[in-house]
Amino acid sequence: MSSHLKNAIKIFTIILAIYVASIPLAHAVSQPLVVVEVFSEDRVHLDIDDTTHVTRTLVIKNEIDKPIVPGVITLVLQKQSPEKIGPVAIPFTSVVKPLKVMNVTARMGDGAAITDVKVTETENSTIIQYGAWVPIEPKQTLTVVLEYDSPDIVEKGLLFSTLQYPFTSSSIPVEKAVVETSIKNGRVTYSSEKPVMNGNTHIWEKSSLGMDSWGVALEYSMLPLPLLPISGGTLLWGLILLICLIWVVWTYTRPRKGA
């Protein structure tokens, strides 16, 4: 048998082996994803004062025809802010840090306390884990409430303060995500999405979030300003720069005495 024929047989054997091995993988990829549970609602309420009190309410729904037990729920929290030289922020820079949390508690929707609450901090995130070891009957729901305080959510400024609350991507589909804010001393002057008002509470809602990420960024101030199309802080700095530019131009172009 010639060497060319032997090489051809080897190549054919390798191609055939790769094809046969890929059949189970292709079959597995083509199988539809079975959704066991969904978050029919993931609602976050932010009571904003010197610190921010967060209440996060999860409504877990059983999507199959057998009882399920949700188990451990994991929430990853991060804070993204600009790098600083002393108290001065450096424009167009960003650093991700763990979000500082305190007074972390969890309970069931009926008020029963959840005792297995664990908080750990890594280099760039804070992880809260708590258990929901209650069976959910087919097509029924279970409500779980997590609460904590954080001094880190709000970036406080002299006239304008900013915050951002993100929903990170989830392995469990989210049917509806909601962010609510109640601000003790101030009013919203800018937000990344237009809110709905309920009294003094601003509400943002995202339907059919699925496994995607989503977040709301907003700015508030004690000044009696309306909801602006751009950030008030940006407007303020733009005005300051404009005044400085006008002063420089006027200084160097005004008529000189005796000239």
Side-chain angles (χ1 to χ4, degrees), residues 88-235:
V88 180
I90 304 174
F92 310 112
T93 62
S94 179
V95 60
V96 177
K97 299 179 180 179
L99 187 76
K100 184 182 296 183
V101 298
M102 307 174 295
N103 307 321
V104 181
T105 61
R107 67 179 188 276
M108 295 295 180
D110 61 4
I114 297 175
T115 57
D116 59 332
V117 179
K118 181 181 179 182
V119 181
T120 56
E121 189 174 299
T122 67
E123 183 179 353
N124 59 8
S125 63
T126 297
I127 302 170
I128 302 177
Q129 294 177 305
Y130 53 108
W133 302 102
V134 176
I136 308 176
E137 295 301 319
K139 307 304 177 182
Q140 300 301 306
T141 62
L142 176 71
T143 300
V144 185
V145 182
L146 174 73
E147 295 189 64
Y148 59 89
D149 296 317
S150 176
D152 278 355
I153 292 178
V154 175
E155 287 280 354
K156 295 184 178 179
L158 183 61
L159 295 177
F160 299 94
S161 298
T162 60
L163 68 93
Q164 181 173 4
Y165 197 94
F167 286 86
T168 55
S169 56
S170 169
S171 60
I172 299 175
V174 179
E175 292 186 340
K176 183 172 70 172
V178 182
V179 176
E180 302 175 340
T181 61
S182 297
I183 304 171
K184 183 176 181 181
N185 295 308
R187 56 191 300 172
V188 174
T189 54
Y190 168 79
S191 69
S192 56
E193 299 182 19
K194 187 176 180 180
V196 174
M197 294 295 299
N198 183 8
N200 293 325
T201 301
H202 293 74
I203 303 171
W204 295 262
E205 185 175 310
K206 180 73 171 180
S207 299
S208 303
L209 180 60
M211 298 181 182
D212 296 332
S213 57
W214 174 64
V216 172
L218 64 95
E219 172 193 80
Y220 69 91
S221 175
M222 295 180 64
L223 299 175
L225 297 173
L227 191 64
L228 302 171
I230 63 174
S231 163
T234 302
L235 278 176

